[in-house]
Amino acid sequence: MEKKKSISAQFKNLISLSVSAGKKAYAPYSNLHVGAALLTVKGRIFSGCNVENASFGLTCCAERNAIFQAVREEGPGMKIRAIAISADSKFPIPPCGACRQVIAEFVAKDKEGTVVIFKSEKGLIGPRIEELLPGFFEMKS
Ligand SMILES: [Zn+2]
């Protein structure tokens, strides 16, 4: 269940950065330009856009593009405080299942958690990743 939560000014900045990132998208097949901007727990911001491919399965979503850049910069300890997703569509663009699992891999396991911001049928929402992907897969050692 997605609960509606207020969006802070910091998160509004992420939304605006995700819109900018989406303008760089390589989307000749779907013509759907998606952008994502994430804030790490350390306070750094990374963005990404979707990059499509003629072999559709090789397409990379904006969210994963941003997350992989964040890992490249902060290393394996990178944790996501918030990630905003936007697209040039009239319909809502929630993160796909694959991206939800990748976001969950880098969940902030503190009180603030990891928030995912996107336009839903009810407007802009910011649920925690656990609400979007309950019981997500984790490798326990
Ligand atoms: Zn995705």
Side-chain angles (χ1 to χ4, degrees):
M1 298 294 111
E2 296 168 356
K3 278 194 286 185
K4 193 166 184 174
K5 293 178 180 166
S6 64
I7 306 295
S8 73
Q10 190 176 36
F11 291 173
K12 282 180 182 161
N13 180 44
L14 281 183
I15 295 161
S16 145
L17 291 169
S18 73
V19 171
S20 301
K23 290 180 177 157
K24 302 268 176 71
Y26 178 74
Y29 307 107
S30 71
N31 203 33
L32 180 64
H33 302 83
V34 185
L38 73 83
L39 172 69
T40 69
V41 166
K42 288 182 178 172
R44 297 179 71 189
I45 290 175
F46 298 92
S47 64
C49 59
N50 56 328
V51 180
E52 296 182 344
N53 192 277
S55 176
F56 290 170
L58 300 179
T59 293
C60 186
C61 298
E63 299 92 311
R64 280 178 280 152
N65 190 336
I67 291 166
F68 297 162
Q69 286 185 58
V71 172
R72 185 197 68 207
E73 291 300 316
E74 290 195 357
M78 191 281 294
K79 300 291 178 201
I80 302 168
R81 174 63 68 219
I83 181 165
I85 304 138
S86 62
D88 59 350
S89 69
K90 289 191 166 61
F91 52 89
I93 299 289
C96 77
C99 287
R100 291 179 194 209
Q101 181 64 43
V102 174
I103 293 167
E105 185 76 22
F106 300 100
V107 65
K109 292 187 174 178
D110 57 12
K111 205 176 86 186
E112 293 175 69
T114 297
V115 173
V116 185
I117 304 157
F118 59 96
K119 188 172 77 176
S120 74
E121 302 283 353
K122 299 172 187 167
L124 207 55
I125 59 170
R128 283 176 173 236
I129 187 63
E130 295 90 339
E131 296 173 72
L132 292 176
L133 191 62
F136 62 76
F137 176 76
E138 285 185 285
M139 186 74 80
K140 305 274 185 187
S141 54

